Amino acid sequence: MHKHFLAIAITATLAGGLAVTGCSHNTSAPNAVTSQISNPLLVPSTLQYQAPDFSQIKDEHFKPALEQGIAENYQEILAIANNPAAPTFDNTIVAMEKSGALLTRASSVFYNLVSSNSNPELLNIQGEMAPKMAQHSDNINLNPALFARIEAIYNNRANLELTPEQQRLVEVYHQRFILAGAKLTDEQKLKIRALNEEQSKLTNEFSQRLLRLTKEIAILVDSKSELAGLTESEITSAANDAKAAGHEGKYLINITNTTRQPVLASLENRELRQRIWEASANRGLTGENETASLVARLAQLRAERAALLGYDNWASYRLAPQMAKTPEAVYSMFGSMVPAVVANTEKEAADIQAMITKTGGKFELAPWDWEFYAEKVRKEKFALDASSVRPYFEFNRVLEDGVFYTLKELYGVTLKPRPDLPVYHPDVKAYEMFDADGSSMAIFYADYFAREGKRGGAWMSSFVGQSFLEGTKPVVVNVMNIKKAPEGEPTFVSYDQVTTMFHEMGHGTHGMFSKVTYPSLAGTAVSRDFVEFPSTFEEDWAAHPKVLANYAKHYETGAPIPEELLQKLLKSGSFNQGYDTLEYMAAALVDMEWHSLSPDAPLQDVATFEANALKKHGLNITAVPPRYKSTYFAHAFPGGYSASYYAYMWSEILAADAFAYVQTQGGLNREIGMKYRKNIREVGNSIAPMEAYKNFRGQEPTTEGLLNRRGLNTVN
């Protein structure tokens, strides 16, 4: 089966993700000849590399294409499972890799648009299709005849003269089917089908409520005077947003999907800061769109599902195929870091409290004060004013002279605009990637600006996956939520957004550099705690002196950022790292605690459970809440990162170790870049992750690089 469908379908079923998860028993399909004329999804796109023809695709095309894709794929799976010939690698594993073309094509476009350019019609289709997809996934994963063929091949794999990649594929298939319940009894399979269907409905409902909540909790401000501290451009954007929402003459501050809000670093009005923070932190606890009940039930049913599969809890089940292997390994990793992180955070809090007092404040540091006063501390400690840096980080220059420049220097690739390719929104831009020899490699879509209908956060996804078996080249997209400046004005990005642009391109090139035969092993189809490694590695190039010198230029004059200002920026890199690390660790450990519940545990009160989890791990610092609280923790509940949010730090260990090694090899140069590209980016999951890492690095990583990267070896 196609990588995009099989890998995402099975993973999402296991994780409760938003992506494609399955098929129904309905085998009827529309008349293909008639439908193909009116529905462009029913046939491969004629655009380069089968890039979706967004000029032809309409919302009404998705449901019939998905339903026909389910029907066709189900017949393909039945033919493989019931093949009278003895099972072979070709007639079973390869046949599955080649199946599901229509479903892959339709679902890859549909689920990308549901996340990045949604509307009520798409959300309704998503809700209607969720149980059908879950059922289809179960029809594949729980088919006893199909699994018997896979197991026969697996048991005899040593005698089949398979290539290393083929053997890896057999092992991956076998493990995925077992984890999906292939060895359960018929009675247990009925139970797991019911749990999977309920999970698909709940995760879909969670996503839709969260999308509605984002609009519902936006803060309406009556007067411009309340916005002191914001730039004129930011105030104009707030006025435009309010007008668009039907509140002309007022100002609207939209809430992003993290607990902390970027605007809190600038707003002088403490009462308004508190309103904004509380709207963010308390969302989903009550009201028509509450998600607390969904969190409690999802944690419970996942524990029930894990027990059916023979695991103590969902975390143990989820980590079995990951690099970490066990929840204990994750708890140990975080536990070893807590003392240093808390010490740094407490020192930062003391500095901020001192600044509050120094500037006349007569109150105790609260969460809505941290970033505002942290900026004052940063300015005093490093003589760095964020507003003085801002003109040097204009969006287009960062993208083209920063992100794209680094790709060329390290990996020899260039990206050229393709304005002829249709896009799904006017803000999206299409590019073609070329290798150093001039050969075309991939199509890349850049979708960086925030808008209504786009979920919060940043991510990379694929419209078409790479596969030598099928002769396909990658078509990928990077998505972010940068606030776009008013028409005619330059868009500036914060340094955090700069590093996120590099990060997402790390994911993008992981997909675009892929050189793998089988689609289920290609690109980013690796374990959760490895997939963030290539992206995090890419982040650090944003601060490399040669890269910075190429993109950090004044948006009007083109003058490079002054050396003194640059050094202040670089030296401030470890500032606030206690806060940044603690808020991440808090979210990761809350995720692990939810998914370490036993199947007989009662439904939990969300706020109480969260508070107890933070206290248990010594992270209950009032001024530093988790980056995501449970009720809007999209990674862990509707997303695919349940019991896996730890993966960012696990991957960061690899990334920091690799980046430090690269600097010993000359830093920004093609030779080491190509070694990294060949051993990490090109191999996908065709090689076990740690084996791939050691092929590049020559040894396993240590945590020293991570502590140095975050400035946590000593308390500053």
Side-chain angles (χ1 to χ4, degrees):
M1 183 174 288
H2 279 48
K3 172 254 169 181
H4 185 277
F5 180 69
L6 180 64
I8 293 182
I10 294 178
T11 301
T13 299
L14 302 181
L18 288 171
V20 183
T21 55
C23 270
S24 72
H25 286 289
N26 177 19
T27 59
S28 62
N31 180 278
V33 175
T34 302
S35 299
Q36 288 170 8
I37 296 172
S38 58
N39 190 334
L41 292 170
L42 298 183
V43 294
S45 169
T46 59
L47 297 179
Q48 186 174 347
Y49 306 150
Q50 299 182 34
D53 189 348
F54 294 110
S55 67
Q56 300 298 316
I57 297 170
K58 295 179 171 50
D59 291 348
E60 60 264 28
H61 294 145
F62 287 115
K63 183 181 174 183
L66 290 168
E67 289 180 335
Q68 183 169 328
I70 287 172
E72 289 183 6
N73 189 215
Y74 183 64
Q75 290 302 315
E76 291 169 332
I77 293 300
L78 287 180
I80 296 167
N82 299 327
N83 187 345
T88 67
F89 179 80
D90 284 337
N91 71 16
T92 302
I93 304 299
V94 173
M96 290 186 71
E97 287 290 280
K98 290 181 175 180
S99 72
L102 171 56
L103 187 55
T104 297
R105 181 167 59 249
S107 61
S108 66
V109 179
F110 176 70
Y111 286 98
N112 273 303
L113 295 190
V114 165
S115 294
S116 61
N117 204 42
S118 192
N119 59 51
E121 184 173 354
L122 292 182
L123 293 175
N124 286 337
I125 296 170
Q126 183 187 25
E128 188 174 345
M129 293 305 301
K132 296 180 181 180
M133 294 298 233
Q135 186 183 17
H136 177 55
S137 184
D138 285 338
N139 290 341
I140 296 171
N141 299 331
L142 305 179
N143 184 309
L146 181 63
F147 179 66
R149 298 179 71 86
I150 293 170
E151 186 156 53
I153 296 165
Y154 174 81
N155 290 337
N156 194 39
R157 65 192 185 283
N159 304 316
L160 298 179
E161 298 183 354
L162 301 175
T163 67
E165 184 179 347
Q166 290 171 337
Q167 181 152 323
R168 175 77 175 162
L169 183 62
V170 170
E171 292 167 353
V172 166
Y173 261 93
H174 187 256
Q175 183 182 55
R176 282 178 180 167
F177 270 72
I178 289 176
L179 289 174
K183 287 194 170 184
L184 297 178
T185 65
D186 289 343
E187 182 181 358
Q188 290 172 324
K189 286 179 179 179
L190 286 175
K191 290 180 181 178
I192 211 162
R193 280 180 180 271
L195 290 173
N196 289 344
E197 181 176 357
E198 182 183 0
Q199 182 170 247
S200 72
K201 291 178 179 178
L202 292 180
T203 53
N204 177 69
E205 181 63 21
F206 193 118
S207 298
Q208 298 205 14
R209 289 188 190 183
L210 194 54
L211 195 62
R212 293 193 291 269
L213 272 173
T214 302
K215 185 175 182 179
E216 178 183 297
I217 64 174
I219 300 297
L220 194 63
V221 178
D222 292 329
S223 65
K224 182 178 179 179
S225 62
E226 295 179 78
L227 301 178
L230 300 189
T231 65
E232 283 300 319
S233 178
E234 289 169 333
I235 292 171
T236 300
S237 291
N240 291 340
D241 289 345
K243 182 178 179 180
H247 304 287
E248 188 165 4
K250 297 190 177 184
Y251 305 86
L252 194 70
I253 297 177
N254 291 306
I255 303 296
T256 63
N257 201 47
T258 50
T259 303
R260 71 158 112 169
Q261 299 296 307
V263 72
L264 297 182
S266 305
L267 274 175
E268 296 175 9
N269 187 313
R270 188 170 190 248
E271 182 181 346
L272 180 56
R273 291 202 308 268
Q274 182 175 354
R275 280 180 62 200
I276 293 168
W277 186 87
E278 288 179 345
S280 173
N282 297 330
R283 77 186 96 167
L285 287 172
T286 59
E288 183 180 353
N289 289 310
E290 63 83 18
T291 54
S293 62
L294 305 182
V295 168
R297 177 55 185 151
L298 279 167
Q300 187 180 63
L301 74 83
R302 286 170 177 170
E304 293 171 7
R305 190 177 186 280
L308 271 176
L309 293 162
Y311 291 86
D312 291 338
N313 50 55
W314 183 256
S316 297
Y317 165 76
R318 283 282 283 155
L319 268 64
Q322 307 299 315
M323 294 181 75
K325 301 300 182 188
T326 66
E328 290 72 27
V330 175
Y331 285 127
S332 175
M333 175 187 72
F334 283 121
S336 68
M337 296 180 65
V338 164
V341 172
V342 170
N344 273 267
T345 306
E346 290 176 341
K347 174 62 167 61
E348 292 167 3
D351 290 343
I352 291 171
Q353 187 66 59
M355 178 59 71
I356 291 172
T357 303
K358 180 179 179 180
T359 54
K362 293 179 171 41
F363 51 83
E364 187 175 343
L365 171 64
W368 47 87
D369 299 316
W370 188 290
E371 290 201 89
F372 181 75
Y373 287 96
E375 280 305 309
K376 292 182 181 295
V377 174
R378 186 199 301 268
K379 186 175 181 179
E380 180 177 83
K381 189 171 184 178
F382 299 99
L384 180 66
D385 184 350
S387 64
S388 66
V389 175
R390 190 169 176 269
Y392 295 94
F393 293 137
E394 189 273 325
F395 167 77
N396 288 306
R397 184 160 269 155
V398 171
L399 179 64
E400 295 171 8
D401 297 342
V403 178
F404 291 176
Y405 168 78
T406 304
L407 297 183
K408 184 174 183 180
E409 292 297 300
L410 271 180
Y411 313 118
V413 302
T414 55
L415 287 102
K416 298 180 181 179
R418 286 291 305 274
D420 57 305
L421 288 175
V423 293
Y424 55 86
H425 188 276
D427 283 345
V428 180
K429 290 187 177 181
Y431 296 84
E432 184 173 358
M433 178 179 278
F434 295 90
D435 213 340
D437 63 2
S439 60
S440 177
M441 299 174 64
I443 299 296
F444 171 72
Y445 294 96
D447 181 3
Y448 288 107
F449 301 119
R451 59 177 171 269
E452 187 174 345
K454 180 188 283 191
R455 69 174 172 88
W459 65 93
M460 165 267 182
S461 193
S462 296
F463 288 111
V464 181
Q466 180 271 332
S467 167
F468 292 141
L469 177 70
E470 298 176 314
T472 54
K473 290 192 175 184
V475 180
V476 308
V477 60
N478 274 180
V479 186
M480 285 182 62
N481 276 276
I482 295 169
K483 181 71 174 178
K484 190 178 183 182
E487 189 69 29
E489 296 184 29
T491 295
F492 298 108
V493 291
S494 68
Y495 189 66
D496 282 347
Q497 290 171 327
V498 170
T499 58
T500 302
M501 290 170 69
F502 276 80
H503 178 101
E504 295 307 329
M505 185 56 79
H507 284 309
T509 50
H510 198 180
M512 291 187 285
F513 288 168
S514 181
K515 289 187 176 181
V516 172
T517 301
Y518 301 102
S520 288
L521 301 178
T524 58
V526 296
S527 66
R528 286 289 186 197
D529 49 13
F530 191 80
V531 75
E532 297 297 335
F533 157 38
S535 53
T536 306
F537 171 86
E538 206 70 21
E539 281 182 33
D540 285 355
W541 293 109
H544 189 279
K546 187 176 179 181
V547 177
L548 261 171
N550 201 62
Y551 75 84
K553 298 178 180 179
H554 197 279
Y555 77 103
E556 288 181 318
T557 67
I561 187 170
E563 183 62 24
E564 182 181 2
L565 184 59
L566 175 59
Q567 289 308 313
K568 290 177 182 177
L569 176 66
L570 295 177
K571 287 178 182 177
S572 70
S574 62
F575 177 75
N576 220 35
Q577 278 297 311
Y579 179 104
D580 291 343
T581 307
L582 193 146
E583 68 155 7
Y584 161 75
M585 290 173 62
L589 286 166
V590 166
D591 167 40
M592 288 298 295
E593 288 294 338
W594 273 118
H595 294 108
S596 295
L597 286 169
S598 63
D600 57 354
L603 287 171
Q604 303 292 310
D605 175 79
V606 170
T608 302
F609 182 88
E610 207 168 72
N612 290 339
L614 295 174
K615 184 177 180 180
K616 173 182 176 181
H617 294 284
L619 298 176
N620 52 330
I621 298 178
T622 303
V624 189
R627 181 175 299 172
Y628 302 98
K629 292 195 174 187
S630 304
T631 51
Y632 48 95
F633 203 165
H635 286 77
F637 290 100
Y641 276 76
S642 59
S644 299
Y645 194 61
Y646 80 90
Y648 286 92
M649 186 162 282
W650 190 279
S651 295
E652 189 179 349
I653 292 171
L654 300 170
D657 186 73
F659 193 82
Y661 167 68
V662 166
Q663 304 320 302
T664 69
Q665 306 301 304
L668 189 72
N669 68 83
R670 187 74 54 80
E671 183 178 356
I672 190 63
M674 292 304 291
K675 180 182 180 183
Y676 175 75
R677 172 179 160 180
K678 178 181 178 182
N679 287 285
I680 302 296
R681 302 288 179 92
E682 293 182 357
V683 300
N685 196 26
S686 64
I687 297 174
M690 188 54 75
E691 182 183 344
Y693 187 82
K694 289 191 290 187
N695 288 344
F696 165 67
R697 177 70 172 88
Q699 64 182 52
E700 293 190 6
T702 69
T703 59
E704 183 179 356
L706 171 65
L707 293 173
N708 289 334
R709 183 179 192 265
R710 288 183 170 250
L712 298 175
N713 271 327
T714 58
V715 178
N716 295 323

